[in-house]
Amino acid sequence: MNLFDTSLLIAFFVLGVCLLLAAIRFAMGPSLLDRITAFDLIVANVIGLIAIYSKLTRDFELIDVALILSLFGFLGSISFTYYMMRR
């Protein structure tokens, strides 16, 4: 294991902690806007986790999953924002 793989493992752990904190924010968010932001952050963290896992395992087919998830996350954020503007 070289220095790059070690740094990827550290980043994987830190993103996991960030994912946990974002999930807590999603559950406890006082307003709908806080929950939308937390959901967007959860999606971004999952994409980062997938990318790091893909690099660590050399399974580059997972990058397609990350791309599709980013598209769904973007469309979800736009949809929630549109809903908030209409409300």
Side-chain angles (χ1 to χ4, degrees), residues 18-86:
C18 289
L19 182 65
L20 179 67
L21 292 174
I24 290 171
R25 182 65 177 183
F26 183 78
M28 297 177 55
S31 70
L32 183 61
L33 234 79
D34 292 331
R35 290 191 169 117
I36 292 170
T37 305
F39 178 74
D40 197 31
L41 185 60
I42 287 171
V43 171
N45 285 334
V46 169
I47 291 168
L49 288 173
I50 289 173
I52 291 172
Y53 182 77
S54 172
K55 178 61 182 163
L56 284 174
T57 61
R58 314 253 192 274
D59 185 12
F60 296 112
E61 293 176 357
L62 291 174
I63 295 296
D64 295 335
V65 175
L67 285 174
I68 291 172
L69 188 61
S70 69
L71 177 67
F72 283 135
F74 174 73
L75 291 176
S77 297
I78 295 297
S79 300
F80 280 127
T81 305
Y82 183 74
Y83 171 73
M84 290 298 292
M85 289 178 58
R86 287 287 185 150

